[in-house]
Amino acid sequence: GNGHPEEAIRTIREEMRRFPGDFHGDLMIASIRAEDLNDLEGATLAIEKILTNPKTTPNHIAAALNTLADWQLRYAGDRDLAADSLQQIVQRLPDTDWSQRAKERIAHLASNEALAERKERTAIVLKEGEKRIGLKKGPLVVELNQAGAAERAKKLLDQLAKFPEDTDAREALARIYSDEYDRPEMALQEYETLMALPHQPARRQVQWLNTIADLEVRKRDNIMGAAAALQRVIDLNPNAAAAEVARTRMSRLQLEARANKPTAPVHLGTYEERIGLKPRNSPDSR
């Protein structure tokens, strides 16, 4: 909405008199109800209207129910309700890709909870002052965390082997690759896999593309790569606020890259410490 959600709904309805039963119009009304008016019940009724329309195509049925499940998770925190919406895809569209993906989403709804806990536990291992590890002398906290990184990466890879559409697991894995192993190219691969998933909300895509830009400029000193990622944000919806932010950021990438360069030469040992590769008993480690 534009700050006047009820007015936006009226405008869409007037437009839809010319195109009754238009999927995008109905979905926009449902979105405004869920996201701007905090009216999940009204949004659910708007989705029901889409589902009862005989002209609604299978991909639109799947998109509507996946979106409803997203809202039920995000705004009501209700996994059972979300699972019911996804189960409707399985019943309405049996033996299809949509049905298969819905089954995968249902299967990992429960696992997200454990994953969130795991993410919170690992997020507090490094204290803010220790993020810039190269500046720190003495034993490194990251070395303690490193032992757990491989184990957490393995659990996430197991989860993704079963449920490739588990976006939380894939994001967590990408963070381990970039932050704990300093392997930005492996992290980028995971973010590109996320971008290729169907039915992902625009705000998630914007977030992933901005993270790709971060990795390119901060970890790879690749201004062109960062600019390409920001251009993709603009291409998603040139009139969105996110596109405006991306344009501004594009114009400042040179500055961003410069600010990111270390002021003093970095000794090789720093990198070894950062990815936990230096054996604890080596003569150089202290």
Side-chain angles (χ1 to χ4, degrees):
N2 52 2
H4 305 285
E6 295 287 7
E7 194 183 307
I9 288 175
R10 276 197 297 278
T11 307
I12 296 165
R13 286 212 168 114
E14 276 167 31
E15 189 65 22
M16 283 178 71
R17 286 204 189 111
R18 289 165 39 216
F19 307 103
D22 175 67
F23 168 74
H24 297 289
D26 280 326
L27 191 63
M28 273 168 75
I29 289 172
S31 298
I32 292 168
R33 291 213 176 283
E35 294 171 12
D36 298 323
L37 293 170
N38 201 16
D39 172 15
L40 190 55
E41 206 176 319
T44 307
L45 289 171
I47 296 287
E48 284 297 325
K49 187 181 167 208
I50 291 172
L51 299 175
T52 53
N53 179 351
K55 289 184 183 158
T56 303
T57 59
N59 63 320
H60 285 165
I61 288 172
L65 285 164
N66 267 299
T67 304
L68 180 58
D70 287 342
W71 293 332
Q72 288 161 335
L73 286 171
R74 196 178 313 147
Y75 301 120
D78 194 327
R79 285 164 195 286
D80 296 339
L81 217 49
D84 288 346
S85 295
L86 296 167
Q87 189 58 42
Q88 280 197 59
I89 299 176
V90 178
Q91 286 159 351
R92 288 165 182 268
L93 308 168
D95 307 319
T96 62
D97 282 354
W98 297 297
S99 161
Q100 187 52 40
R101 286 201 285 268
K103 284 178 194 163
E104 285 172 5
R105 268 195 88 179
I106 293 166
H108 84 254
L109 275 177
S111 71
N112 283 348
E113 215 160 303
L115 202 62
E117 273 171 39
R118 201 149 67 226
K119 234 189 301 186
E120 277 176 32
R121 273 208 307 278
T122 59
I124 56 172
V125 175
L126 274 187
K127 292 198 281 297
E128 194 53 47
E130 288 164 343
K131 292 264 174 73
R132 295 169 70 190
I133 288 163
L135 307 178
K136 192 172 178 290
K137 294 234 163 54
L140 293 171
V141 177
V142 81
E143 287 182 5
L144 304 174
N145 195 24
Q146 196 64 42
E151 189 190 326
R152 280 182 288 118
K154 184 190 179 305
K155 278 184 185 161
L156 292 165
L157 285 164
D158 289 346
Q159 170 72 0
L160 288 165
K162 281 185 258 165
F163 308 115
E165 308 240 337
D166 188 339
T167 54
D168 290 341
R170 203 170 290 284
E171 282 184 74
L173 182 64
R175 277 195 295 274
I176 289 173
Y177 286 156
S178 101
D179 299 347
E180 300 187 51
Y181 285 107
D182 206 21
R183 295 294 300 273
E185 71 289 353
M186 287 171 75
L188 286 167
Q189 222 171 336
E190 298 305 329
Y191 284 111
E192 287 299 349
T193 303
L194 286 165
M195 285 302 297
L197 292 175
H199 309 314
Q200 294 307 309
R203 71 185 72 177
R204 296 294 298 278
Q205 294 185 312
V206 166
Q207 193 186 324
W208 295 330
L209 287 168
N210 271 295
T211 306
I212 289 172
D214 288 344
L215 287 169
E216 290 288 16
V217 79
R218 289 184 191 153
K219 297 261 185 188
R220 285 157 56 103
D221 199 21
N222 178 4
I223 292 175
M224 295 295 284
L230 294 170
Q231 184 59 50
R232 286 161 73 187
V233 174
I234 296 164
D235 294 341
L236 283 176
N237 180 354
N239 301 317
E244 202 42 56
V245 173
R247 284 187 197 98
T248 306
R249 189 176 174 192
M250 262 170 122
S251 69
R252 300 174 59 84
L253 279 176
Q254 297 279 0
L255 285 171
E256 215 177 292
R258 220 171 298 148
N260 191 48
K261 288 215 167 62
T263 47
V266 176
H267 301 294
L268 186 61
T270 309
Y271 288 118
E272 292 174 356
E273 285 174 347
R274 270 176 65 206
I275 53 176
L277 291 178
K278 183 181 287 189
R280 280 173 189 276
N281 56 3
S282 80
D284 286 350
S285 66
R286 36 188 182 276

